[in-house]
Amino acid sequence: QVQLVQSGAEVRKPGALVKVSCKASGYSFTSYAIHWVRQAPGQGLEWMGWINAGNGHTKYSQKFQGTVTITRDTSTSTAYMNLSSLRSEDTAVYYCAREGAARSGIDYWGQGTLVTVSS
Amino acid sequence: DIQMTQSPSSLSASVGDRVTITCRASQSIARDLHWYQHKPGKAPKLLIYAASSLQSGVPSRFSASGSGTDFTLTISSLQRDDFATYYCQQSYSIPLTFGGGTKVEIK
């Protein structure tokens, strides 16, 4: 079965960087894109960017340009999300999620990783 | 960016009620609209893709319709397991955008 398993909770100070991993299994990793979506406390879902796991091409939300970097390692079927210059407003649960087949939505999600930014 | 506006932002309903949630896009998105259910502490779950197609394993009490700018999600007979927040999301253009969510609470 398809699974996306994310790394554990992180605590960082303002200005630091965090790296969250997302290990995929149960499907051909390079055949699907991976999104990163976050949810701040009391807020809705916010799309950050995605990566074509096959060719490594990325697209980011303008809001996160310059602070987020999404990469992947095909040898381990793992996607990564780096977020730099952290601020308290970046405190959120971060999800990786798989884009389904054409026009079929985001069909599988990781369990979420809580990132807390606090001095 | 395409703005997605959901209404209502919250509603109270009883088990067995018919519930309808609407989602409006700021420009036409054809049928590139998907619906998710999100419960606290869990990952979002895809319910409906491409405006009206039921995701595998999702109960048939969930249905959806629409195209262009106006979309609806209907739960025909609300069950206890359905109390959650529902989001619409467009995939017509990057950046992907979500509606603000509709929280369905127990009356």
Side-chain angles (χ1 to χ4, degrees):
Chain A
Q1 72 282 22
V2 174
Q3 281 194 299
L4 299 172
V5 179
Q6 297 182 223
S7 49
E10 304 273 12
V11 179
R12 294 286 185 272
K13 293 190 185 305
L17 173 148
V18 70
K19 185 172 187 175
V20 180
S21 67
C22 170
K23 183 169 177 59
S25 62
Y27 72 97
S28 174
F29 178 70
T30 55
S31 297
Y32 295 82
I34 293 285
H35 298 274
W36 287 88
V37 175
R38 78 178 187 180
Q39 183 178 39
Q43 304 298 308
L45 300 172
E46 181 175 34
W47 183 80
M48 301 176 69
W50 69 345
I51 186 166
N52 179 321
N55 60 24
H57 290 173
T58 55
K59 289 244 185 225
Y60 302 123
S61 168
Q62 186 76 15
K63 175 176 178 176
F64 298 100
Q65 286 279 0
T67 59
V68 71
T69 305
I70 299 172
T71 59
R72 96 290 191 222
D73 181 342
T74 58
S75 69
T76 59
S77 299
T78 303
Y80 299 92
M81 188 279 297
N82 277 343
L83 188 62
S84 63
S85 304
L86 288 168
R87 305 181 301 173
S88 58
E89 304 91 275
D90 294 315
T91 294
V93 176
Y94 290 78
Y95 295 99
C96 65
R98 190 187 84 163
E99 175 74 16
R103 291 186 152 78
S104 63
I106 300 173
D107 59 357
Y108 287 94
W109 296 67
Q111 81 276 19
T113 296
L114 174 62
V115 175
T116 302
V117 183
S118 173
S119 55
Chain B
D1 298 3
I2 298 175
Q3 307 303 315
M4 306 301 295
T5 303
Q6 280 183 242
S7 61
S9 56
S10 66
L11 64 90
S12 295
S14 301
V15 172
D17 284 354
R18 182 181 182 89
V19 168
T20 297
I21 298 167
T22 65
C23 178
R24 175 164 287 174
S26 60
Q27 65 184 73
S28 177
I29 57 171
R31 294 176 61 82
D32 291 337
L33 188 284
H34 319 292
W35 291 95
Y36 301 86
Q37 177 191 68
H38 194 197
K39 296 180 179 180
K42 304 271 187 144
K45 174 184 176 182
L46 178 66
L47 298 175
I48 302 283
Y49 64 93
S52 62
S53 296
L54 194 67
Q55 175 70 352
S56 175
V58 174
S60 59
R61 62 181 180 273
F62 290 93
S63 65
S65 64
S67 66
T69 60
D70 294 309
F71 302 85
T72 61
L73 172 70
T74 299
I75 309 171
S76 61
S77 177
L78 197 66
Q79 301 301 301
R80 191 156 294 273
D81 190 51
D82 301 338
F83 292 97
T85 300
Y86 294 83
Y87 293 93
C88 61
Q89 174 245 321
Q90 66 80 21
S91 60
Y92 184 81
S93 68
I94 297 293
L96 305 189
T97 46
F98 291 86
T102 296
K103 186 173 184 179
V104 177
E105 298 175 301
I106 301 172
K107 183 182 282 184

